[in-house]
């Protein structure tokens, strides 16, 4: 949203609120489609027994929280842990050698750090320290980038790039989107590393650096069409592992989580493609 509307807080807020509206509309339309297809027939009666109204009991609340938390850990937590370990392994292996450029930056940072003690005054020391830290951070980014590119997840992104190319994703964005199926918030940390900006808690700085990121052909990584398509994709796609795990626990079958994942991801892909084409037709490639 910040990339799409950098100078219009009103439009940015409107787009953000529109994401919730889009999700609600998609849910209602999905319910209508499923009701007339795979869920035909008479609805089952639902009986809901309401407990008697009384003052809240701290003991009952704690016992209920403990009981439901334990059930979640046993049924859903084991699945989440297994997939988290798999995703970590795919992202961390095979180990890549430290790039020559990163080693050169680290050597320069160490050389500058050695000059700090002999600096004439405090200002010079601060300047040298800042320069050494900047070089060290740049070396870390290059090392992390090499690790991501050589990892199994990076190779998977390269192989899957043709699938996501129609919605405007290059190799780096493809890797970030694939890892975000574990949890969508993973997208931010992945793309900041792959785009060469490094991970940071400063959202404003990260957003500015991502705006300046470019593809191999020099075009913006996050042009308007790609940004709009990604926004729609993230609204509609099933990118929450705990939700799938809970669906599996509640239904007792992998059929419904699989349908949930395929349907939502398919709708998100088609909607993102339509959005990107529409924006491009309006001259939104910049």
């Amino acid at each position: 949203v910040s990339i799409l509307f950098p100078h219009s807080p009103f439009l940015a807020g409107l787009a953000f609120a529109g994401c919730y509206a889009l999700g609600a509309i998609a849910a209602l339309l999905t319910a209508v489609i499923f009701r007339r297809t795979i869920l035909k027939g008479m609805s089952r009666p639902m009986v809901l027994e309401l407990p008697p109204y009384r003052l809240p009991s701290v003991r009952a609340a704690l016992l209920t929280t403990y009981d439901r938390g334990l059930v979640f850990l046993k049924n859903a937590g084991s699945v989440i842990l297994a997939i988290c370990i798999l995703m970590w392994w795919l992202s961390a292996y095979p180990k890549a050698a430290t790039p020559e450029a990163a080693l050169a930056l680290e050597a320069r940072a160490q050389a500058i750090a050695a000059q700090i003690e002999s600096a004439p005054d405090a200002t010079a020391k601060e300047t040298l320290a800042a320069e050494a830290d900047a070089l060290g951070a740049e070396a870390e980014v290059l090392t992390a980038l090499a690790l991501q590119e050589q990892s199994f997840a990076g190779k998977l992104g390269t192989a899957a790039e043709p699938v996501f190319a129609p919605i405007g994703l290059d190799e780096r964005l493809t890797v970030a989107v694939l890892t975000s199926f574990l949890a969508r918030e993973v997208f931010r940390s992945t793309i900041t590393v792959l785009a060469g900006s490094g991970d940071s808690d400063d959202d404003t700085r990260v957003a500015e650096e991502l705006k300046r990121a470019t593809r191999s052909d020099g075009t913006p990584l996050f042009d308007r069409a790609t940004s709009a398509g990604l926004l729609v994709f993230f609204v509609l796609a099933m990118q929450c592992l705990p939700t799938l795990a809970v669906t599996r626990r509640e239904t007792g079958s992998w059929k419904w989580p699989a349908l949930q994942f395929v349907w939502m991801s398919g709708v998100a892909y088609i909607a993102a493609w339509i959005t990107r084409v529409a924006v491009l037709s309006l001259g939104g490639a910049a």
Side-chain angles (χ1 to χ4, degrees):
V1 169
S2 64
I3 292 174
L4 280 171
F5 307 105
H7 306 298
S8 179
F10 174 76
L11 290 178
L14 193 63
F16 195 78
C19 291
Y20 286 93
L22 176 60
I25 293 171
L28 292 174
L29 291 177
T30 295
V32 171
I33 293 173
F34 279 25
R35 187 68 180 87
R36 297 181 178 180
T37 54
I38 62 175
L39 297 176
K40 284 183 177 181
M42 294 290 295
S43 299
R44 294 180 180 180
M46 184 184 74
V47 178
L48 181 63
E49 181 180 358
L50 296 176
Y53 291 98
R54 57 170 62 94
L55 290 175
S57 167
V58 175
R59 180 176 180 275
L62 292 176
L63 289 175
T64 302
T65 301
Y66 172 78
D67 178 65
R68 301 312 302 170
L70 197 61
V71 169
F72 180 84
L73 288 176
K74 287 181 178 179
N75 295 289
S78 57
V79 178
I80 295 172
L81 178 61
I83 297 182
C84 284
I85 293 174
L86 176 62
M87 291 300 300
W88 168 81
W89 185 81
L90 289 174
S91 300
Y93 291 95
K95 292 293 185 180
T98 304
E100 293 293 334
L103 292 175
L105 288 173
E106 290 177 355
R108 287 175 54 192
Q110 292 174 1
I112 293 173
Q115 302 173 13
I116 294 178
E117 292 299 328
S118 59
D121 51 47
T123 302
K125 290 182 178 180
E126 291 178 0
T127 302
L128 290 172
E131 185 177 355
D133 290 342
L135 290 172
E138 188 176 352
E140 290 179 1
V141 168
L142 290 176
T143 302
L145 185 58
L147 176 60
Q148 286 284 349
E149 289 178 345
Q150 298 299 320
S151 68
F152 291 117
K155 294 176 181 178
L156 179 62
T158 301
E161 181 183 0
V163 177
F164 289 91
I167 61 175
L169 307 190
D170 70 345
E171 177 184 340
R172 290 172 295 174
L173 285 173
T174 298
V175 174
V177 166
L178 288 176
T179 57
S180 70
F181 278 100
L182 178 65
R184 65 186 58 214
E185 56 269 20
V186 175
F187 178 85
R188 179 194 184 279
S189 59
T190 303
I191 194 57
T192 49
V193 171
L194 294 179
S197 63
D199 201 4
S200 171
D201 293 330
D202 188 348
D203 291 335
T204 302
R205 186 182 71 81
V206 170
E208 290 298 326
E209 291 181 351
L210 291 180
K211 289 177 188 177
R212 296 191 296 268
T214 58
R215 303 170 188 257
S216 57
D217 59 1
T219 58
L221 181 64
F222 286 95
D223 56 40
R224 291 178 183 174
T226 300
S227 298
L230 273 176
L231 186 62
V232 171
F233 184 87
F234 274 93
V235 169
L236 299 175
M238 169 47 67
Q239 293 170 303
C240 184
L241 176 62
T243 299
L244 292 174
V246 169
T247 302
R248 164 67 177 83
R249 175 172 64 84
E250 295 293 338
T251 61
S253 169
W254 281 107
K255 179 182 71 174
W256 291 107
L259 176 62
Q260 188 179 33
F261 178 81
V262 173
W263 170 260
M264 294 180 66
S265 300
V267 170
Y269 185 94
I270 294 172
W273 179 78
I274 293 174
T275 301
R276 182 170 185 269
V277 171
V279 174
L280 284 174
S281 65
L282 297 174

